[in-house]
Amino acid sequence: MNRFDTLFQQLKAKNQGAFVPFVTLCDPDFDRSFDIIQTLVESGADALELGFPFSDPLLDGEVIQAANKRALEAGYRSDDCFALLAKVRAAYPDIPISLLLCANLVYAPTPERFYQRCQQAGVDAVLIADVPVAYADEFSQVAQRFGIAPVLICPPNADAATVEKIAQRSQGYTYLVSRAGVTSADNQQQAAHLDRLITALKRLDAAPILQGFGIATPEQVKASLTLGIDGAISGSAVVKIIEANLDDHSNCLNQLREFVQAMKGAAKR
């Protein structure tokens, strides 16, 4: 079992859902990014989903695009992200860590080297945002050789055949997208019939389901859990706090602490 498997077992025993924040590594810089991640963990985050800064993110809305730009303009690259991941893992040996990034970064220089570095840095899972299930095996096979769980996205318009493939292939967790479009805390509209996808994934014994896209309030966390999912991911709402406090790091950490505590509180059913 990896750390995600252990986490979901523990949460099930407590009748709790998971709250998982997302941030871009090295935003706005290496040291403040570590402070931010520390605050997320110590305020109650059950796991971390982290991104590498990238010039052409496909699923990210304006808020996370700006986070990527800040990190890149500050000169941070994948080597820095792996160094930061190693520092986080050393500080928090048990927290599950997932990466969400684009395939270009996995190919640099090769998938084998990328997943080896993930293993060395203590990463548990990797979700490649721009690789649909039909093309996932190329990456999944390499990931599993290095003990990394391949996570797949279940889109809101997935048909029965796609849902079945996702259930068979996703490990660690299954990422259920709330709606079509890009990430945004402002667009909180949820696609219709998510309950059907959740029922289908559970019937097929899929990996635990985490819902993302537009999750920005405790009320949304509670509503998602009533659908039967296992937890919620919030990215843009977290990154907006960072963006609003670039000149006041102490206030940034205080606001992140309050946000995570409220969101995790809502996940305690």
Side-chain angles (χ1 to χ4, degrees), residues 2 111-112 114-116 118-119 123-126 136-152 168-172:
N2 70 19
E112 287 77 8
F114 174 82
Y115 285 111
Q116 181 185 47
C118 287
Q119 181 189 56
V123 172
D124 299 291
V126 172
D137 287 352
E138 171 190 352
F139 299 94
S140 297
Q141 291 168 6
V142 182
Q144 291 175 84
R145 289 209 304 269
F146 290 96
I148 307 298
V151 176
L152 299 184
Q168 292 171 346
R169 291 166 170 79
S170 194
Q171 299 178 21

Side-chain angles (χ1 to χ4, degrees), residues 1-2 9 14 34 36 66 69-70 76 86 90 96 121 127-128 164 166 169 172 187 191 206 214 217 222 226 256 264:
M1 293 199 306
N2 70 19
Q9 283 190 1
K14 298 175 184 176
F34 181 70
I36 286 165
K69 185 178 180 182
R70 287 192 295 270
Y76 296 103
L127 189 165
I128 307 174
E164 184 171 2
I166 291 166
R169 291 166 170 79
N187 183 357
T217 68
K222 286 183 178 293
T226 62
L256 288 172
K264 177 56 188 176

Side-chain angles (χ1 to χ4, degrees), residues 54 58 101-108 111 114 127-131 139:
F54 184 55
L58 296 182
L101 34 66
C102 292
N104 291 44
L105 293 168
V106 180
Y107 277 120
F114 174 82
L127 189 165
I128 307 174
D130 53 347
V131 174
F139 299 94

Side-chain angles (χ1 to χ4, degrees), residues 6-187:
T6 301
L7 170 68
F8 287 115
Q9 283 190 1
Q10 293 172 342
L11 291 176
K12 185 176 181 180
K14 298 175 184 176
N15 193 34
Q16 293 184 13
F19 174 64
V20 183
F22 169 92
V23 293
T24 299
L25 290 161
C26 298
D27 170 39
D29 58 47
F30 188 100
D31 291 334
R32 282 188 286 176
S33 184
F34 181 70
D35 289 345
I36 286 165
I37 292 169
Q38 277 191 306
T39 299
L40 297 176
V41 176
E42 293 177 9
S43 300
D46 294 298
L48 298 168
E49 190 175 69
L50 305 172
F52 278 27
F54 184 55
S55 58
D56 299 290
L58 296 182
L59 291 180
D60 292 330
E62 292 182 1
V63 171
I64 298 177
Q65 286 180 28
N68 286 319
K69 185 178 180 182
R70 287 192 295 270
L72 290 172
E73 289 183 345
Y76 296 103
R77 298 296 185 265
S78 291
D79 286 351
D80 305 292
C81 292
F82 278 116
L84 182 51
L85 284 167
K87 185 173 182 178
V88 171
R89 174 54 72 213
Y92 303 102
D94 299 323
I95 190 85
I97 297 175
S98 174
L99 300 183
L100 192 161
L101 34 66
C102 292
N104 291 44
L105 293 168
V106 180
Y107 277 120
T110 66
E112 287 77 8
R113 179 57 180 150
F114 174 82
Y115 285 111
Q116 181 185 47
R117 296 188 77 181
C118 287
Q119 181 189 56
Q120 292 168 345
V123 172
D124 299 291
V126 172
L127 189 165
I128 307 174
D130 53 347
V131 174
V133 63
Y135 300 95
D137 287 352
E138 171 190 352
F139 299 94
S140 297
Q141 291 168 6
V142 182
Q144 291 175 84
R145 289 209 304 269
F146 290 96
I148 307 298
V151 176
L152 299 184
I153 288 177
C154 182
N157 61 346
D159 59 23
T162 300
V163 171
E164 184 171 2
K165 291 176 183 176
I166 291 166
Q168 292 171 346
R169 291 166 170 79
S170 194
Q171 299 178 21
Y173 62 97
T174 305
Y175 192 122
L176 177 64
V177 174
S178 300
R179 51 165 173 75
V182 296
T183 59
S184 171
D186 297 325
N187 183 357

Side-chain angles (χ1 to χ4, degrees), residues 221-244:
V221 174
K222 286 183 178 293
S224 295
L225 292 176
T226 62
L227 293 174
I229 64 165
D230 300 282
I233 298 171
S234 182
S236 294
V238 177
V239 178
K240 282 181 77 171
I241 294 172
I242 299 170
E243 182 179 57

